[in-house]
């Protein structure tokens, strides 16, 4: 059987074309992920700079000013210093748990960003159970903290890990009930659908006005989940030296530092999604796509406007946890648990029952 050389060339070019398409498809799979990771990293650097500047203003100090313009590169310098420092390991601890704990804390929080819409359908995974997937993923974080405390072979670290687990369990239940009430109002658990349900009436359609009690409970529960003052009992310096972080140094300590700010940013973004209308304008009956159209010429501009509105709302909300850190005193552990189980849980249950009743009456 004789095969013509032109046929061989045609077959080879076809296979080359198919292989190029596969490579092109793989590249476009990872480009959105790398873009999201880069944006999250920049967002964390901005949060660290904002917290240092706002805390300096509250305490009548100057704050960082030498590392870059207005000290914007101070967080980057701190991260570089932690990366270059020696990584110490406890001699009698469980080294495997000691190493895995910080990674679990960071990775589980990073997975939460997959379901966050930053603009008009600008989301990596629009799932029908989006908000509950976030709650399920966030419940993994205390496991990493408990592993870190146990693997350190230090009673202060172990106490901090136990406190982190107890605090997370206590405040995840009211937070979940508040999210369930929002899902009932929006008739969906998708983050995109929740934002679209608030877009019709603009500023007046925000769930902040329809669920004011749920918003306050969600705010306190999210602060406790992020271990921000006055809920930073797992790493209370006066009682536990530094909690589950006591035996850590170098980049592993930097992972805990990164995880706390990643969790703070994701909580602010979910407050924006659930209660503040997400990427939409505050003008009734006007959305970004209706205002600028969906032509290719304005598509990039529409996406940029949506991202700007989402981040603007999230960073404006960040002023609340930053200012409370330098305003309110730390609670005792018994006060923390009493607030979660005896106060926030009954209120969130009552709010859910009221929401359910109102939805049944409106049918």
């Amino acid at each position: 059987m004789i095969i013509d050389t032109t046929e061989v060339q045609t077959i080879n070019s076809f296979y080359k074309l198919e292989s190029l398409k596969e490579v092109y498809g793989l590249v476009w799979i990872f480009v959105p992920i790398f873009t999201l990771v880069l944006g999250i990293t920049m967002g964390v650097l901005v949060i660290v700079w904002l917290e240092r500047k706002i805390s300096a203003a509250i305490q009548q100090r100057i704050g960082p000013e030498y590392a870059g313009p207005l000290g914007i590169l101070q967080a980057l310098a701190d991260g570089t210093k932690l990366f270059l420092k020696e990584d110490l390991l406890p001699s009698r601890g469980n080294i495997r748990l000691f190493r895995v704990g910080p990674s679990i804390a960071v990775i589980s929080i990073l997975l939460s960003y997959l379901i966050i819409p930053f603009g008009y359908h600008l989301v990596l995974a629009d799932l029908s159970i989006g908000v509950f997937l976030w709650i399920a993923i966030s419940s993994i974080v205390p496991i990493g903290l408990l592993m870190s405390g146990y693997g350190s072979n230090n009673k202060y670290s172990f106490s901090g890990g136990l406190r982190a687990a107890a605090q997370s369990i206590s405040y995840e239940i009211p937070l979940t009930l508040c999210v369930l009430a929002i899902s009932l109002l929006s008739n969906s658990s998708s983050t995109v659908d929740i934002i679209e349900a608030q877009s019709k009436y603009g500023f007046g359609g925000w769930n902040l006005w329809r669920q004011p009690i749920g918003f306050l409970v969600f705010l306190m529960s999210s602060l406790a989940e992020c271990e921000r003052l006055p809920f930073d009992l797992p790493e209370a310096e006066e009682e536990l030296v530094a909690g589950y972080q006591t035996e850590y140094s170098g980049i592993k300590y930097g992972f805990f530092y990164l995880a706390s700010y990643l969790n703070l940013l994701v909580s602010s973004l979910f407050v924006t999604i659930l209660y503040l209308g997400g990427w939409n304008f505050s003008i009734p009956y006007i959305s970004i796509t209706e205002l600028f159209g969906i032509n290719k010429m304005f598509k990039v501009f529409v996406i940029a406007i949506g991202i700007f509105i989402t981040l603007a709302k999230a960073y404006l909300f960040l002023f609340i946890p930053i200012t409370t850190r330098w305003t309110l005193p730390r609670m005792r552990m018994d006060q923390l648990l009493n607030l979660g189980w005896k106060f926030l849980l009954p209120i969130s249950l009552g709010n859910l029952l009221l929401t359910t009743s109102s939805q049944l009456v409106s049918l």
Side-chain angles (χ1 to χ4, degrees), residues 30-182:
F30 289 103
V31 163
I33 298 175
F34 286 129
T35 304
L36 181 61
V37 171
L38 180 61
I40 292 169
T41 305
M42 296 298 296
V44 169
L45 294 179
V46 173
I47 292 176
V48 175
W49 178 78
L50 276 176
E51 180 157 32
R52 290 181 169 179
K53 280 296 185 181
I54 294 172
S55 62
I58 292 173
Q59 298 174 344
Q60 296 182 348
R61 297 184 289 107
I62 297 176
E65 59 175 338
Y66 295 110
L70 300 176
I72 190 68
L73 299 179
Q74 185 63 52
L76 188 62
D78 293 339
T80 306
K81 179 189 72 172
L82 290 173
F83 183 76
L84 297 176
K85 289 185 71 173
E86 183 181 2
D87 185 17
L88 301 177
L89 300 175
S91 58
R92 297 183 179 181
N94 191 321
I95 304 303
R96 184 177 299 176
L97 295 180
F98 186 83
R99 288 175 171 171
V100 171
S103 302
I104 291 178
V106 173
I107 293 173
S108 57
I109 296 174
L110 281 175
L111 291 175
S112 303
Y113 287 88
L114 297 176
I115 57 174
I116 295 178
F118 291 91
Y120 181 70
H121 288 189
L122 189 64
V123 57
L124 288 181
D126 182 17
L127 304 177
S128 60
I129 55 169
V131 288
F132 293 105
L133 179 64
W134 165 57
I135 294 171
I137 292 174
S138 63
S139 63
I140 303 175
V141 178
I143 299 176
L145 304 183
L146 189 58
M147 291 169 61
S148 302
Y150 180 79
S152 299
N153 191 27
N154 183 316
K155 61 181 180 181
Y156 296 108
S157 300
F158 188 52
S159 298
L162 289 175
R163 284 187 175 190
Q167 178 172 323
S168 178
I169 293 171
S170 301
Y171 285 86
E172 272 182 4
I173 299 174
L175 187 142
T176 305
L177 294 175
C178 294
V179 172
L180 182 57
I182 295 296

Side-chain angles (χ1 to χ4, degrees), residues 32-33 43 53 63 92 105 135 145 193 203 208 223 226 270-271 295 323 326 331 343:
I33 298 175
K53 280 296 185 181
R92 297 183 179 181
I135 294 171
L145 304 183
D193 292 341
F203 181 73
L208 173 64
L223 287 179
C226 297
F270 269 101
V271 168
N295 296 327
T323 52
W326 306 100
M331 303 174 67
F343 185 73

Side-chain angles (χ1 to χ4, degrees), residues 180-199:
L180 182 57
I182 295 296
S183 298
L184 287 174
L185 282 178
S186 307
N187 294 320
S188 175
S189 297
S190 169
T191 51
V192 174
D193 292 341
I194 290 173
I195 294 176
E196 292 289 346
Q198 303 175 67
S199 62

Side-chain angles (χ1 to χ4, degrees), residues 228-282:
R228 301 282 299 183
L229 271 167
F231 305 108
D232 64 334
L233 272 298
E235 64 264 17
E237 293 88 354
E238 294 85 352
E239 305 166 27
L240 300 176
V241 185
Y244 51 83
Q245 307 173 8
T246 303
E247 299 295 332
Y248 282 90
S249 62
I251 191 60
K252 290 188 179 66
Y253 178 79
F255 279 161
F256 284 120
Y257 191 75
L258 176 64
S260 64
Y261 282 102
L262 284 174
N263 204 4
L264 182 61
L265 180 58
V266 76
S267 298
S268 299
L269 287 170
F270 269 101
V271 168
T272 303
I273 293 168
L274 297 176
Y275 293 98
L276 303 181
W279 69 77
N280 282 303
F281 277 110
S282 299

